[in-house]
Amino acid sequence: MNIRKATKTDYNKVWEIFSKVIETGDTYVFNPNTPKSDLKKHWFADYMKTYVIEENGEILGTYIIKPNQIDLGSHIANCSYMVNPNSQGKGIGKKLCEHSLKIARENKFEGIQFNIVVSTNKGAVELWRKYGFEIIGTTPKGFKHSELGLVDTYIMYKDLNK
């Protein structure tokens, strides 16, 4: 498996993953009916870096890294990760997380903050904890889960200097 910066030629493959992940309405805040034209602002905006992981020419997952805030808050990164549902369980999320930690350090970020991790997304919460992220806050009923209704969300953080 190879992780590399995404290019414009990856746009359609990334859209396939993005649309499959959000259609379930259980892990991301994006409306399940988000149009393809919105992918640019959500995953390919100028202020973020987009990466893909591929194997044998097939894109299996993607992530973005960007400053969590502007100006005086730009020393903390924010990342989002998506794995093709057909490729889950192969360690792709782990590889993307490891790569993003490396990229964040190379770009002199002091930490990474996830602003909204859905509490019922147990796999993600466990993975982030395994890599040293801590839950630093909870937003009660912060997410409209497609099946469970209102569920809590977590703010998770990792200090990159530890």
Side-chain angles (χ1 to χ4, degrees):
M1 282 186 231
N2 176 49
I3 300 177
R4 61 171 174 77
K5 275 188 122 175
T7 66
K8 289 179 182 177
T9 61
D10 298 319
Y11 195 88
N12 289 331
K13 295 290 185 184
V14 170
W15 169 250
E16 286 177 28
I17 294 169
F18 184 93
S19 62
K20 283 180 187 175
V21 169
I22 69 168
E23 76 182 359
T24 57
D26 60 355
T27 58
Y28 271 90
V29 297
F30 304 114
N31 183 317
N33 297 315
T34 296
K36 186 176 183 179
S37 59
D38 284 0
L39 185 63
K40 172 137 177 58
K41 70 179 177 182
H42 294 316
W43 218 256
F44 284 89
D46 293 339
Y47 62 91
M48 62 181 65
K49 294 179 183 175
T50 306
Y51 291 86
V52 294
I53 184 168
E54 62 183 353
E55 185 175 53
N56 300 323
E58 181 183 352
I59 294 176
L60 307 176
T62 179
Y63 82 90
I64 59 170
I65 184 168
K66 62 185 180 180
N68 192 48
Q69 297 294 331
I70 62 167
D71 300 331
L72 302 180
S74 64
H75 60 290
I76 304 298
N78 176 264
C79 300
S80 296
Y81 311 80
M82 291 187 176
V83 175
N84 187 320
N86 299 333
S87 299
Q88 290 179 343
K90 297 179 180 178
I92 293 166
K94 292 176 188 176
K95 289 182 186 323
L96 293 175
C97 183
E98 290 168 0
H99 190 268
S100 69
L101 291 170
K102 176 179 161 270
I103 294 297
R105 287 184 176 104
E106 286 175 4
N107 285 274
K108 309 293 189 237
F109 286 110
E110 299 287 323
I112 297 177
Q113 180 173 313
F114 302 145
N115 297 324
I116 184 166
V117 179
V118 179
S119 63
T120 56
N121 189 353
K122 303 293 187 198
V125 173
E126 286 178 29
L127 179 62
W128 308 145
R129 281 188 161 156
K130 181 178 179 178
Y131 281 93
F133 287 84
E134 298 176 58
I135 295 172
I136 60 168
T138 301
T139 304
K141 301 178 184 175
F143 184 77
K144 295 177 184 178
H145 193 285
S146 62
E147 293 179 17
L148 304 174
L150 296 176
V151 298
D152 295 349
T153 60
Y154 300 136
I155 301 165
M156 298 186 78
Y157 179 77
K158 178 176 176 63
D159 185 334
L160 294 176
N161 295 313
K162 288 186 176 181

